[in-house]
């Protein structure tokens, strides 16, 4: 048995239609007044769309008017005059064409977001052969974020084309499949050091034995992809030999979350998403962070401790570049989610396999090698900006906080690209 759907209102391409559009100051009651005036004539509503931008309203109603076209026109004119809005009525035939295939969401972030940059983005979309069906603002602070809902796009090639615009215009651009692919539950996996938190934990530990500068230099080279991660990790951990295990408590207290980290995790959990942490750092710190934030999964290296002191070794296999990708895969399998429903966020070369494997890989204030290879980059210092890439607006985030009494504090507005 097959499903069948018959739309009696559109039984042919040439049926008569009337498009009624009003524009003017936005205020309560405009839609109700106009539709009330159009009722009583047997007209059928085929489509209705409304948008209010900066206090200016545009409302369009597509009607199948029946036999009383002039009466409908007169009623619309009277209602528009009473409302003090501008009226446009256009006669035509047929409904809108079916939406084109290749739906995609293009999210643009800028601090500031200049008109010249938006012009380059929209021109590139047009040159690609795609159509912009809808535009909406997702945030006005601490960054300006605009989402373009487009059709007729090839996501991988458009992503490549817009990457050049991102570089030349100093903005961040994400291109993702639209439609149902943009909805539903996801797994979001974050790197920890310099992503979820602002520091590198091993450098905090090394500071307790006076070798912070030495370890920081090795860390930087490893994150830039210049050194083998496992080899460099074992060498850095060796410098910690003899430290009392109590320094772990000091480091836990010293760790500072990246601005927006709590908001990101809190909002993802409200949406029913699963959140995981995967780190080349240490579970003694990562585990506590996961517990504090209510995060579902955590994987990291474990420091060997004997007689209350660090031995300078790690226990078991090192969580390296391949290990991070494997953790993402395993977390997704546990949650019953395909990899297309996963998001990975990281900043270092050891995150590249994880970012490539995920349905959406986000380089967060990342090293150049990572930004070059990741699907998209975020270069503002607010981790919750990742929510905009998923189509979640700042207003929705703040309304959810307001509804459950969570205190919100607006981060400072940046003065330039970070």
């Amino acid at each position: 048995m097959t499903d069948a759907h018959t739309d009696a209102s559109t039984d042919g391409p040439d049926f008569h239609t009337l498009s009624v559009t009003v524009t003017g100051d936005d205020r309560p009651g405009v839609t109700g007044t106009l539709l009330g005036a159009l009722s009583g004539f047997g007209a059928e509503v085929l489509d209705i769309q409304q948008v209010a931008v900066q206090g200016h309203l545009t409302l369009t109603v597509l009607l199948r008017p029946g036999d009383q076209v002039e009466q409908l026109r007169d009623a619309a004119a009277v209602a528009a005059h009473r409302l003090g809005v501008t009226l446009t009525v256009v006669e035509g035939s047929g409904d809108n064409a079916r939406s084109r295939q290749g739906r995609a969401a293009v999210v643009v972030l800028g601090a500031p977001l200049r008109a010249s940059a938006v012009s380059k983005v929209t021109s590139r979309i047009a040159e690609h052969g795609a159509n912009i069906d809808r535009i909406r603002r997702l945030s006005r602070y601490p960054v300006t974020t605009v989402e373009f809902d487009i059709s007729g796009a090839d996501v991988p090639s458009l992503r490549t084309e817009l990457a050049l615009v991102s570089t030349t215009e100093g903005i961040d651009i994400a291109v993702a499949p639209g439609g149902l692919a943009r909805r539903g539950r996801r797994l979001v996996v974050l790197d920890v050091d310099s992503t979820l938190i602002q520091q590198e934990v091993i450098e905090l530990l090394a500071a307790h034995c006076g070798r912070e500068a030495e370890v920081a230099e090795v860390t930087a080279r490893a994150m830039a992809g210049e050194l083998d991660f496992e080899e460099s990790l074992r060498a850095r951990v060796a410098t910690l030999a003899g430290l009392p295990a109590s320094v772990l408590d000091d480091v836990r207290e010293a760790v500072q979350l990246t601005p927006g980290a709590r908001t990101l995790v809190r909002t993802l959990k409200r949406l029913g998403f699963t959140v995981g942490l995967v780190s080349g750092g240490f579970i003694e710190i990562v585990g506590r962070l996961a517990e504090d934030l209510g995060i579902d999964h955590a994987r990291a290296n474990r420091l060997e401790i004997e007689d209350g002191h660090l031995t300078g070794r790690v226990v078991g296999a090192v969580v390296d570049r391949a290990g991070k990708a494997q953790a993402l895969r395993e977390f997704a399998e546990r949650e019953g989610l395909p990899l297309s429903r996963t998001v990975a966020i990281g900043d270092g070369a050891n995150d590249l396999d994880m970012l490539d494997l995920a349905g959406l890989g986000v380089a967060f204030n990342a090293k150049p090698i990572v930004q070059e290879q990741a699907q998209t980059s975020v270069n503002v210092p607010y981790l919750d900006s990742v929510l905009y890439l998923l189509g979640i607006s700042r207003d929705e985030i703040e309304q959810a906080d307001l509804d459950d009494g969570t205190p919100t504090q607006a981060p400072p507005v940046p003065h330039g690209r970070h």
Side-chain angles (χ1 to χ4, degrees), residues 106-122 135-148 165-166 169-174 380 388 413-417:
V106 177
V107 179
V108 180
L109 298 84
L113 182 60
R114 303 189 186 282
S116 58
V118 178
S119 172
K120 293 289 179 59
V121 171
T122 55
I135 305 173
R136 66 170 179 146
R137 183 177 69 179
L138 296 179
S139 73
R140 61 183 177 85
Y141 73 91
V143 297
T144 302
T145 309
V146 179
E147 179 185 62
F148 299 85
V165 178
S166 174
E169 296 300 315
I171 57 176
D172 297 322
I173 304 175
V380 294
Y388 310 144
V413 178
H415 295 292
R417 185 173 173 83

Side-chain angles (χ1 to χ4, degrees), residues 234-301:
R234 293 189 185 280
R236 285 175 287 162
V237 171
T239 68
L240 309 178
L243 284 176
S246 60
V247 301
L248 294 170
D249 293 326
D250 297 333
V251 169
R252 292 186 191 104
E253 292 299 319
V255 162
Q256 295 180 334
L257 292 173
T258 298
R262 287 190 183 276
T263 301
L264 171 67
V265 176
R266 182 171 65 244
T267 304
L268 293 174
K269 299 297 288 182
R270 282 175 175 151
L271 290 167
F273 289 13
T274 301
V275 184
L277 299 180
V278 126
S279 175
F282 310 109
I283 196 65
E284 291 82 1
I285 308 300
V286 173
R288 183 69 62 86
L289 285 168
E291 181 180 351
D292 176 51
L293 294 170
I295 287 173
D296 306 277
H297 304 287
R299 182 167 300 176
N301 299 299

Side-chain angles (χ1 to χ4, degrees), residues 24 36 42 45 69 75 86 126 136 156 226 248 266 333 336 339 375 396 411:
V45 175
V69 176
T86 301
R136 66 170 179 146
E226 298 174 8
L248 294 170
R266 182 171 65 244
E333 289 175 354
L339 289 172
Q375 297 173 27
E396 291 169 329

Side-chain angles (χ1 to χ4, degrees), residues 304-346:
E304 185 180 69
I305 300 174
E306 292 181 356
D307 299 324
H309 291 77
L310 305 185
T311 66
R313 296 184 293 271
V314 293
V315 178
V318 166
V319 180
D320 56 6
R321 178 169 168 167
K324 286 190 169 188
Q326 182 60 28
L328 172 70
R329 189 185 298 277
E330 291 178 13
F331 294 166
E333 289 175 354
R334 288 184 206 172
E335 297 298 327
L337 289 170
L339 289 172
S340 61
R341 304 295 307 165
T342 65
V343 179
I345 309 166

Side-chain angles (χ1 to χ4, degrees), residues 45 90 95 142 180 185-186 189 231 283 304 333 411 415:
V45 175
V90 178
D95 201 345
L180 288 178
R185 188 166 71 93
R186 299 195 192 212
V189 175
E231 182 181 350
I283 196 65
E304 185 180 69
E333 289 175 354
H415 295 292

Side-chain angles (χ1 to χ4, degrees), residues 82-101:
R82 187 164 66 248
L83 290 165
V85 296
T86 301
L87 172 71
T88 303
V89 180
V90 178
E91 292 192 50
S93 61
D95 201 345
N96 297 326
R98 183 183 297 273
S99 296
R100 297 194 298 167
Q101 300 300 308

